[in-house]
Amino acid sequence: MLVDCAGKPLDLSRPAVMGVLNLTPDSFSSDGLAHDLDAACARALAMQAAGAAVIDIGGESTRPGATPISVVEELDRVLPVIQYLAPQLRIPISIDSRQPQVMRAAVVAGAGLINDIAALRMPGALAVAAELAVPVVLMHMQGEPGTMQESPHYDNVVAEVESFLVGRVAACEQAGISRQRLLLDPGFGFGKSVAHNIELLRGLPRLARLGLPLLVGLSRKSLIGAVTRAPVTQRLGGSIALALLAVQRGACMLRVHDVEATVQALAMFEAVEGGTHDC
Ligand code: 7PM
């Protein structure tokens, strides 16, 4: 399946990698890119060369406990990078934002995809996404980034994530956003305990049966730290394992920090499983 991202094609017929370019100064993956346009752009080009299908650019930290930033500050962080990078990349840029104003400015600046951890629940977001006519990732989150990890609760995490996503797909269709433009994401780590995350990964095939492409973000997440005790800088092995387990269960896009290693792991997965895997 080829999805058009504002003129740039995204091939979802086989598992694809979304490389994270984090422009928040405090994030565990920012790697000091926040204040260095050249370094940020070099990183994006390197991720493309390593086989990324999309570059995800975000300026708001959604780390548990993070303090919210203003729209102006978010725009200041992401717009220069998008403007500079979009003409140089052959792959699309996704804008990781909950704010409709940021979505619009980013797409005008050259982004081709919206990645929204709030699944277009901010006032005005549905209308803006409908108007921009680019693909949208709808992610599940219980609570708000600042407090979501304090006491996550579900009776059945897979069923509840599924019904939330089904509801957001309906809201999108009602707002004039066709299903063809939607990707779904269970939101690993967003208002979920370690047990919830593992249950959700086991239940991924059920979400895949909704018939829309599934994106997952498991790279470096605290789940790996909880199981292995590895600090955030040393979670590559766990991240690769979770990436392949997710693809095996129906994920068709992986949001990762380590593009080269993930692309290599996927190549081996496909060499063995190729053909049998339906994305
Ligand atoms: C602290 C906690 C810092 C979590 C950074 C993060 C996802 C996402 C993020 C995801 C989609 C990170 C996350 N995670 N967007 N944005 N899905 N669609 O690991 O899982 O970068 S932020």
Side-chain angles (χ1 to χ4, degrees), residues 216-236:
V216 299
L218 288 155
S219 180
R220 300 185 186 174
K221 284 202 172 156
S222 61
L223 154 73
I224 302 165
V227 171
T228 66
R229 298 278 125 219
V232 70
T233 53
Q234 284 162 267
R235 294 181 185 165
L236 180 57

Side-chain angles (χ1 to χ4, degrees), residues 20 22 27-29 56 61-64 96 115 117 137 139 185 187-188 190 215-219 221 255 257:
V20 178
N22 212 321
S27 168
F28 68 4
S29 63
D56 190 43
S61 177
T62 49
R63 172 185 290 279
D96 181 349
N115 174 26
I117 63 158
V137 177
M139 197 196 79
D185 184 335
F188 289 102
F190 286 85
L215 168 65
V216 299
L218 288 155
S219 180
K221 284 202 172 156
R255 183 180 179 280
H257 303 91

